[in-house]
Amino acid sequence: MLGLLMPLAGLLGIEIEELGQRVKGLIVVYALILVSAVIGLAFLITAGYIALSDAVGPIYAALILAGSFLAFALAVYIGVSIGENRRRKRLAERRRSSDSGAFLTTAALTALPLLVRSPMLVKLGIPAAALTVLALLREKDSPDS
């Protein structure tokens, strides 16, 4: 597979080696940024602990910081959980919508030969179908959903 991709990339003007070197360089730079940020955050927490231990004592300072970080972790977990539940609900609604649309399409295509035979249903059915489509389109575009 890779044997086919290299000539294709050459035809498209993509320099794989140059792209690979750039990605490796960016990985190193971002790793250095991450390490520096973590070290800075560690010193910031240490400074906060020292200041807090001067105010309330070392044991209480440690307990306060531990409780604060546990509360922060719990808040992040709850936020992620709420976001995931919303995503699942939207996905389920889309599936339901597409399933019901497929069912209605199948039912309409199945009933179409019977409706075409009757001239009265053709005269009444075309405006009714147009009104139904218009109502469905308005419901789909409404800001509630």
Side-chain angles (χ1 to χ4, degrees):
M1 181 75 175
L2 189 59
L4 292 174
L5 291 178
M6 295 298 273
L8 182 61
L11 286 175
L12 294 175
I14 300 172
E15 296 294 330
I16 300 296
E17 291 83 17
E18 182 181 324
L19 186 63
Q21 291 297 325
R22 184 167 181 254
V23 168
K24 287 178 186 176
L26 286 175
I27 288 173
V28 169
V29 169
Y30 285 129
L32 287 173
I33 291 171
L34 178 66
V35 168
S36 298
V38 167
I39 291 171
L41 190 61
F43 276 107
L44 186 64
I45 292 169
T46 303
Y49 171 76
I50 291 170
L52 194 58
S53 67
D54 283 345
V56 296
I59 298 295
Y60 289 120
L63 289 173
I64 290 171
L65 283 177
S68 299
F69 283 114
L70 288 174
F72 177 70
L74 182 64
V76 169
Y77 174 77
I78 289 171
V80 168
S81 178
I82 288 171
E84 185 65 21
N85 285 337
R86 285 184 182 168
R87 187 192 66 80
R88 285 182 188 157
K89 285 181 184 178
R90 279 194 308 266
L91 186 61
E93 182 61 35
R94 284 188 201 139
R95 282 186 188 144
R96 246 183 271 120
S97 175
S98 67
D99 288 348
S100 64
F103 176 73
L104 288 175
T105 303
T106 304
L109 289 175
T110 303
L112 188 63
L114 296 174
L115 295 175
V116 171
R117 291 184 193 149
S118 170
M120 181 65 107
L121 284 177
V122 169
K123 289 179 184 176
L124 295 176
I126 292 174
L131 289 175
T132 304
V133 167
L134 183 63
L136 286 173
L137 287 175
R138 282 189 179 172
E139 180 181 314
K140 183 179 179 182
D141 293 338
S142 69
D144 306 3
S145 55

